[in-house]
Amino acid sequence: MAPEFAAFASTDPFFIARGLAREISPGLLTRAGPMEHWQWWMLGLAALAGIVFGFIANALISLFVRRTDSPAFFRIVEWAVRSIVLGFFLLLTLRPLGLPQVVAAPVKAIAWSLIVIGAVPVVWHLIGKVAEHYRGLWQVPGYHDTLISLSTGVARVAVLVVAFLLLAEVLAIPYEGVIAGLGIGGLAVALAAQPTLQNFLSGLTLYADRPVSVGDFCKFGDQSGTIEHIGMRSTRIRSLDRTIISVPNSDFAGMQIENYAHRDRTRFATTLQLRYETTPDQLRYVLAELRKLLIAHPRVIDEPCRVRFAGYGAYSLDIDVFTYIKTADVADFQAIREDILLSMINVMDDAGAQFAFPSSLEYRATDLPVDDEKRIAAEKRVGDWREAQNLPFPDFSQIDKFALNNTLDYPPEGSAHYRETEPDPDSAEARATLEKVRWSLPWKKGE
């Protein structure tokens, strides 16, 4: 060794290691190809030590980390840890062994490749663990799961891109030209990636607008199900048949979504159809008892709470029932609805009324005889209108309209609200109405 390098060699790791090899056996300094024997031996021992320490690292990790429900994925992580440890051991031997460039370059490339390839599944797994941790922090299940899912997907894609660039750098792959080529072919790439980008942006829209969250039961299109996952590309819904429906985010965001999870009450509406043989007072009794039933029920809201005779059907007298039940749970609503419907049957039975069935009746002339007295009286009244030239066709005269205006009682006389709305005959409004009717009548001369 040249004298001027003696001081440097005394502290350099390579010369220290080579001096130890000379002391053990001078034959180790014999060259075998591009390196000396002791360098080959130390390189092999470093690789063996990396493998051994990789198994030790896995054993230590197993003491602190409980195996997940996916043994296959845990095995991938184990191999990733061994790969990283082996790569670090190979890197640590480069300086002490003083490998020539012809050997150092491939060893360095292999070491960094092992580290990068091994780090990808580990970082991938850690991203998933962090996402699961943040999912457990929110008190409302699934409230921020959409953003967590999208962020997890973006982070994992970024890990793959960075790993690819690092491998290209380590293996001396000329990726700069590829990146520059993306600028020239950017339009083609953008067109090809348009559906993916559209789905990703729609996923962000679903989070920002938040029409649904993970765990919500909703109706979309002509299907219903529970949201299980909102990812970068698609939304997964568990259908009523317990199957998984995967809908692209762009399609799902454009649908009319009905979210049942956010309602505060459940609508109860039905139509009762009574036979035409039901008498008017029977019908009044049924209406009154049904209203009392809904008002008295503790799980029915006060307003709106409507039971009304709605009209004459093809074969029935129709009663519309409309109100809201104080629950958002489907099973609870079905139980309350069942209780109300059974109580309605009791009301019908107490009134002696019967439900109508789709039917058609044929009448003979003798089944419904005409009341001759009422017929003659009606014809006489019409004849009197004709003689007085006061037929109300096509419409009543203006004088008759003034005379008929507000002459019927509503609410009808005998109802609970009639006493509350009955006008005071001494009131100014009553006197003004009477004066208007008096001046609208056709008074004869001298009267």
Side-chain angles (χ1 to χ4, degrees):
M1 182 177 298
E4 59 268 20
F5 289 103
F8 172 77
S10 62
T11 58
D12 185 73
F14 168 70
F15 288 106
I16 294 174
R18 194 168 186 271
L20 292 175
R22 181 187 294 111
E23 294 177 2
I24 294 172
S25 175
L28 293 176
L29 302 182
T30 307
R31 299 187 66 83
M35 297 190 304
E36 298 174 350
H37 282 90
W38 71 275
Q39 290 176 308
W40 288 111
W41 280 104
M42 291 301 296
L43 184 61
L45 289 175
L48 181 61
I51 295 173
V52 172
F53 275 90
F55 280 96
I56 295 174
N58 284 329
L60 294 175
I61 292 175
S62 300
L63 294 177
F64 299 99
V65 179
R66 182 173 56 87
R67 285 180 176 267
T68 62
D69 297 332
S70 178
F73 184 77
F74 195 84
R75 285 196 296 270
I76 294 175
V77 174
E78 288 180 338
W79 279 104
V81 172
R82 296 169 192 168
S83 175
I84 293 173
V85 173
L86 177 58
F88 274 115
F89 267 80
L90 291 178
L91 287 178
L92 291 176
T93 60
L94 291 178
R95 179 60 187 274
L97 294 183
L99 301 179
Q101 183 64 24
V102 67
V103 178
V107 170
K108 184 178 180 181
I110 293 173
W112 279 112
S113 299
L114 290 173
I115 294 173
V116 172
I117 295 173
V120 168
V122 174
V123 176
W124 187 287
H125 180 68
L126 289 177
I127 292 174
K129 285 295 184 182
V130 172
E132 292 178 4
H133 171 71
Y134 277 100
R135 284 191 181 99
L137 292 180
W138 308 110
Q139 296 180 356
V140 182
Y143 189 67
H144 288 285
D145 191 71
T146 303
L147 180 62
I148 294 174
S149 299
L150 294 173
S151 301
T152 302
V154 172
R156 286 176 169 174
V157 170
V159 168
L160 294 178
V161 172
V162 171
F164 170 77
L165 295 178
L166 289 177
L167 285 176
E169 180 69 25
V170 168
L171 300 177
I173 298 176
Y175 62 89
E176 293 85 355
V178 177
I179 296 177
L182 291 178
I184 300 174
L187 180 60
V189 173
L191 293 175
Q194 183 178 1
T196 302
L197 182 60
Q198 185 177 4
N199 289 326
F200 176 73
L201 295 178
S202 298
L204 295 178
T205 302
L206 289 174
Y207 171 76
D209 191 46
R210 201 172 293 120
V212 291
S213 297
V214 174
D216 290 353
F217 182 82
C218 66
K219 180 179 180 182
F220 56 100
D222 57 350
Q223 301 187 71
S224 301
T226 303
I227 305 296
E228 289 201 347
H229 178 74
I230 301 177
M232 293 180 58
R233 194 200 69 84
S234 63
T235 299
R236 293 198 298 268
I237 303 106
R238 178 77 64 177
S239 69
L240 296 177
D241 295 329
R242 306 304 299 165
T243 59
I244 291 293
I245 303 174
S246 182
V247 184
N249 288 336
S250 58
D251 295 339
F252 189 72
M255 290 182 178
Q256 180 178 349
I257 304 173
E258 186 176 357
N259 193 339
Y260 293 101
H262 291 176
R263 63 182 177 187
D264 56 348
R265 61 190 65 169
T266 307
R267 183 173 65 97
F268 174 85
T270 186
T271 300
L272 302 181
Q273 297 177 318
L274 278 61
R275 293 179 58 175
Y276 267 105
E277 289 78 9
T278 304
T279 64
D281 283 346
Q282 263 186 308
L283 186 58
R284 291 187 178 95
Y285 177 82
V286 171
L287 290 170
E289 291 300 313
L290 290 178
R291 292 167 188 164
K292 288 166 58 177
L293 169 64
L294 295 183
I295 293 172
H297 202 286
R299 300 300 297 275
V300 175
I301 68 170
D302 298 332
E303 290 293 339
C305 183
R306 298 192 292 267
V307 179
R308 295 296 177 188
F309 174 44
Y312 304 96
Y315 52 85
S316 62
L317 303 174
D318 296 339
I319 298 177
D320 282 348
V321 181
F322 178 86
T323 187
Y324 286 96
I325 307 299
K326 298 176 182 178
T327 182
D329 182 71
V330 176
D332 192 22
F333 165 74
Q334 291 175 343
I336 298 170
R337 180 180 61 183
E338 178 184 84
D339 178 68
I340 295 175
L341 292 177
L342 290 174
S343 299
M344 288 180 174
I345 294 178
N346 294 334
V347 171
M348 296 287 292
D349 185 62
D350 292 341
Q354 296 180 351
F355 290 105
F357 298 96
S359 59
S360 60
L361 297 178
E362 296 181 1
Y363 295 99
R364 293 179 298 178
T366 56
D367 291 336
L368 298 174
V370 178
D371 191 329
D372 290 332
E373 293 183 3
K374 292 182 179 180
R375 176 183 60 80
I376 294 173
E379 291 176 351
K380 184 178 182 304
R381 284 193 292 270
V382 174
D384 293 341
W385 295 344
R386 186 178 289 109
E387 290 180 3
Q389 296 184 354
N390 197 27
L391 277 174
F393 305 103
D395 197 0
F396 287 100
S397 66
Q398 196 67 26
I399 295 176
D400 290 338
K401 287 183 179 180
F402 278 120
L404 293 172
N405 189 30
N406 295 328
T407 57
L408 288 180
D409 294 331
Y410 184 82
E413 185 177 359
S415 68
H417 286 186
Y418 178 76
R419 296 187 303 273
E420 302 173 1
T421 59
E422 186 176 4
D424 184 4
D426 296 331
S427 65
E429 181 181 359
R431 290 195 301 270
T433 302
L434 182 62
E435 189 70 17
K436 181 176 64 175
V437 172
R438 180 183 294 114
W439 283 104
S440 65
L441 293 177
W443 302 104
K444 296 180 180 179
K445 292 182 179 181
E447 296 185 6

